[in-house]
Amino acid sequence: MLPVKRSLFRLSAVLIIAASFFLCFYAVVHHNSNTASTGRVFSQNQSQSVQTPQFSGQPADQGQNQIRPHENGVQASPNGQFNSNGRSFNRGTFPGPGRRSNAGNSFTVQVVAYTVLFFLAALVSFFILKSSPKYKEILAKLLIDRSNQRIIMVTLICAGLLLRIALGILIEGHPFDLNTFKSWAALAANNFSQFYVGRHASDYPPLYIYILYLIGKIGSLKAMSAYYTILLKLPSILADIITALLLFKLARKYLSAELSTMVAAFYIFNPAVLVNSTIWGQVDSFFTLLIVTAVVLLMERKLVYAAIFFTASVLMKPQGIIFLPILFFELVRQKSLKSIGKVLISGLLTAVTIILPFSLQQNPLWIVKLFTSTLGEYPYASVNAFNFFYLLGANYKKDTLPFLFLNYHSWGLIFIVLVTLLAWFVFAKSKKESFLSVSALILISGVFLFSASMHERYLFPAAALALLAFIYTKDKRFMLLSIGVSVTGFVNTYLILCQTNEGINQAAFSTIPVMTSILNLCLFLYLIKIVCGKNIYD
């Protein structure tokens, strides 16, 4: 590269980072007064004990005019207040029917415009890769020079992180979930070891409570209380960046420098990723980082470390159970009692380490009761997930209602078994550890589509797992799948976020959700077509 050209390239990188920094700095300094007021609410919670009414742990009957529940325990009660596992908030905190929040709706035009442009660019890039035999040369020209890849990655990471912080401050996030996390953080910071003691405890498994404990301690500082919302979003924001770095490191190992940069850029600026962690304020990004790390460690034959991360994922969200079969698949392939022993011991030690601080004053089986209660909290065919049951018109219908000789719950269990067998068949047929990423993608996609009680955000890990499958198999069709599930994931998540902020608790059976559900079904059928083909196993 010519010296002048190299200097212009580096200057451009510096200007991008500088612009991102100043936008972030402006957002931090000029954040709105609502963020500061929530910090004062937290301080009040810290200074006084929380008197709470009894919380049943079961969602209220759903209707068109009620606020929808979320998996972290926020519910509408008949008296017009909202209970977060026993902690009450009035309508001044949560927007009810007819009330609105600016948590995302005021930026809808900008978010949607960015999303459309991003996915158009992603599709164009994909078809260039697929159709042109000289795609590497094209990408090399776009990236200017391989020697500048480090500068490009530093720019992508800095811009991605700084812009996330700015966006996370400018858009308040999901009011129900963030206030629930604030309440849990205050409770953990005040009395960590007794967090699960009593009838008003959280319905989350204990791993993420460690993170909330740290946030609660930092947020209790007077200088930091006004930035409480962004503190709650920060773990997921950092998880986004770390996941992108992990994908980049793997892609550099198995793919070209140009493709590895594209993979990282796609994940960092993916609207489906941004809307979940940075806009909504949920923790699926942190969960996805655990899952991706576990799958990678398993494929890299680091069985003990993989078992640790799989156990950690289950102890963060019950959805981690979805991915446990791939650990079983590998153990069956190895047929080694020593490997089974290592997995059981490492998993047990990890579980005891995470659970023990909360168990000193409780029945040893409290964690089993917690999981049983959490898994039974949403007895519906679909909880705003645009999937197969949604297409049947079963959104927020009780999963005990009959459908074709059985009920929705029974059909969901049957589909889980069939999807698991399909994932096992694909892995057994390949006889390669690298296909564990494909099996993991089949599991999350199939369970989201056909299992009962799925929420709108549960497909989130599929985008990263599809990229992982692309990296390990070098099959570009997985890149297209990642784009596809990112599109449907964004639509499902952002639509529900906006409707919730408008006071609507459940998605109506309308054009956009129906089309999104159909697209999810088509993407899963395309995935089956890929894994049933012969050339993928070559």
Side-chain angles (χ1 to χ4, degrees):
M1 179 183 288
L2 296 174
V4 175
K5 199 173 183 180
R6 181 179 288 114
S7 299
L8 288 175
F9 174 77
R10 293 180 177 177
L11 177 62
S12 299
V14 170
L15 290 175
I16 291 172
I17 295 174
S20 302
F21 173 79
F22 283 116
L23 178 61
C24 179
F25 180 78
Y26 177 85
V28 169
V29 173
H30 298 280
H31 67 286
N32 58 53
S33 59
N34 288 335
T35 306
S37 67
T38 57
R40 290 194 293 273
V41 170
F42 170 79
S43 298
Q44 293 171 6
N45 288 337
Q46 287 281 73
S47 62
Q48 60 186 354
S49 61
V50 182
Q51 301 297 325
T52 59
Q54 186 171 359
F55 174 66
S56 66
Q58 295 297 328
D61 291 336
Q62 296 301 312
Q64 291 290 341
N65 294 324
Q66 288 180 301
I67 295 296
R68 64 183 281 275
H70 290 274
E71 85 234 37
N72 44 9
V74 178
Q75 305 182 337
S77 61
N79 63 6
Q81 290 190 330
F82 297 83
N83 298 325
S84 176
N85 283 342
R87 286 166 285 281
S88 295
F89 303 90
N90 59 34
R91 287 190 182 276
T93 304
F94 293 101
R99 291 176 176 264
R100 298 187 179 189
S101 165
N102 66 343
N105 301 37
S106 58
F107 289 90
T108 295
V109 174
Q110 294 92 325
V111 171
V112 171
Y114 168 79
T115 300
V116 171
L117 290 174
F118 177 89
F119 286 124
L120 283 175
L123 286 171
V124 169
S125 300
F126 169 78
F127 286 112
I128 289 176
L129 289 174
K130 192 176 186 320
S131 60
S132 174
K134 297 182 179 180
Y135 69 89
K136 288 185 179 180
E137 295 179 10
I138 296 172
L139 289 175
K141 290 179 180 179
L142 289 174
L143 296 176
I144 301 179
D145 193 292
R146 285 191 184 186
S147 62
N148 289 294
Q149 189 179 42
R150 179 173 295 182
I151 297 174
I152 293 171
M153 282 305 303
V154 169
T155 304
L156 290 176
I157 292 168
C158 290
L161 178 60
L162 293 170
L163 291 174
R164 272 174 164 77
I165 294 173
L167 190 60
I169 292 174
L170 291 172
I171 301 180
E172 295 173 5
H174 194 289
F176 305 163
D177 289 0
L178 285 173
N179 275 282
T180 301
F181 287 138
K182 289 173 188 175
S183 178
W184 290 352
L187 192 63
N190 282 331
N191 201 338
F192 180 76
S193 64
Q194 297 188 35
F195 183 83
Y196 288 100
V197 175
R199 62 191 179 208
H200 310 309
S202 162
D203 63 347
Y204 254 39
L207 179 64
Y208 202 72
I209 307 307
Y210 288 87
I211 304 297
L212 291 176
Y213 167 80
L214 294 174
I215 294 172
K217 288 296 186 182
I218 296 171
S220 66
L221 300 175
K222 186 176 180 180
M224 298 302 298
S225 61
Y227 300 97
Y228 203 85
T229 296
I230 193 61
L231 285 176
L232 288 167
K233 293 181 177 182
L234 196 57
S236 290
I237 287 173
L238 293 175
D240 289 340
I241 302 301
I242 295 171
T243 303
L245 275 172
L246 177 59
L247 292 170
F248 171 73
K249 291 289 186 181
L250 289 168
R252 281 192 66 181
K253 183 177 178 181
Y254 295 101
L255 302 174
S256 66
E258 294 82 11
L259 280 175
S260 60
T261 306
M262 282 190 67
V263 166
F266 176 78
Y267 196 82
I268 290 173
F269 298 105
N270 191 330
V273 177
L274 286 167
V275 72
N276 191 299
S277 60
T278 307
I279 296 178
W280 185 307
Q282 257 293 346
V283 297
D284 299 282
S285 291
F286 199 94
F287 172 73
T288 298
L289 174 59
L290 295 177
I291 292 297
V292 169
T293 304
V295 174
V296 169
L297 288 169
L298 195 58
M299 290 188 293
E300 298 291 329
R301 300 183 180 182
K302 298 178 181 178
L303 200 61
V304 171
Y305 294 111
I308 291 172
F309 275 90
F310 275 118
T311 305
S313 70
V314 173
L315 289 174
M316 180 185 169
K317 274 177 170 280
Q319 290 77 28
I321 297 171
I322 295 171
F323 298 96
L324 289 184
I326 67 170
L327 183 57
F328 171 76
F329 300 161
E330 177 61 15
L331 289 175
V332 171
R333 189 192 69 82
Q334 290 190 13
K335 298 177 182 178
S336 169
L337 290 177
K338 184 178 180 181
S339 295
I340 295 173
K342 286 181 179 179
V343 166
L344 291 176
I345 292 172
S346 57
L348 181 61
L349 289 176
T350 302
V352 169
T353 302
I354 294 172
I355 295 170
L356 187 60
F358 302 101
S359 306
L360 300 179
Q361 301 180 32
Q362 295 199 80
N363 185 301
L365 296 179
W366 72 270
I367 189 68
V368 177
K369 184 178 178 181
L370 175 69
F371 270 86
T372 303
S373 175
T374 301
L375 291 172
E377 265 189 338
Y378 296 94
Y380 306 101
S382 174
V383 187
N384 286 333
F386 297 163
N387 58 11
F388 177 70
F389 286 142
Y390 180 90
L391 283 175
L392 297 177
N395 191 37
Y396 271 114
K397 281 189 176 181
K398 291 284 188 179
D399 61 4
T400 53
L401 292 175
F403 174 69
L404 294 180
F405 312 112
L406 297 173
N407 57 39
Y408 291 110
H409 180 73
S410 298
W411 278 115
L413 293 177
I414 291 171
F415 284 133
I416 288 175
V417 172
L418 293 176
V419 168
T420 303
L421 290 175
L422 173 62
W424 195 359
F425 168 78
V426 169
F427 176 65
K429 186 178 179 180
S430 69
K431 299 179 181 178
K432 299 176 183 176
E433 291 93 342
S434 60
F435 272 74
L436 287 168
S437 58
V438 180
S439 294
L441 178 60
I442 293 171
L443 286 170
I444 187 59
S445 301
V447 171
F448 175 82
L449 262 175
F450 300 111
S451 179
S453 305
M454 290 292 106
H455 290 249
E456 66 285 323
R457 295 173 289 98
Y458 286 3
L459 189 61
F460 182 84
L465 290 171
L467 290 176
L468 206 58
F470 166 60
I471 292 169
Y472 276 95
T473 65
K474 301 180 178 62
D475 191 321
K476 300 183 188 70
R477 292 174 293 180
F478 286 111
M479 188 68 180
L480 183 60
L481 277 173
S482 185
I483 296 172
V485 296
S486 295
V487 170
T488 60
F490 171 84
V491 173
N492 201 163
T493 304
Y494 195 65
L495 180 62
I496 297 303
L497 173 63
C498 290
Q499 287 190 347
T500 302
N501 292 329
E502 294 289 338
I504 302 170
N505 78 300
Q506 66 183 76
F509 194 78
S510 56
T511 303
I512 293 178
V514 168
M515 294 302 295
T516 306
S517 301
I518 292 173
L519 181 55
N520 272 326
L521 187 59
C522 291
L523 289 169
F524 186 71
L525 294 175
Y526 183 60
L527 174 58
I528 293 176
K529 179 184 176 182
I530 293 173
V531 299
C532 289
K534 294 181 180 180
N535 54 345
I536 191 176
Y537 300 101
D538 295 339

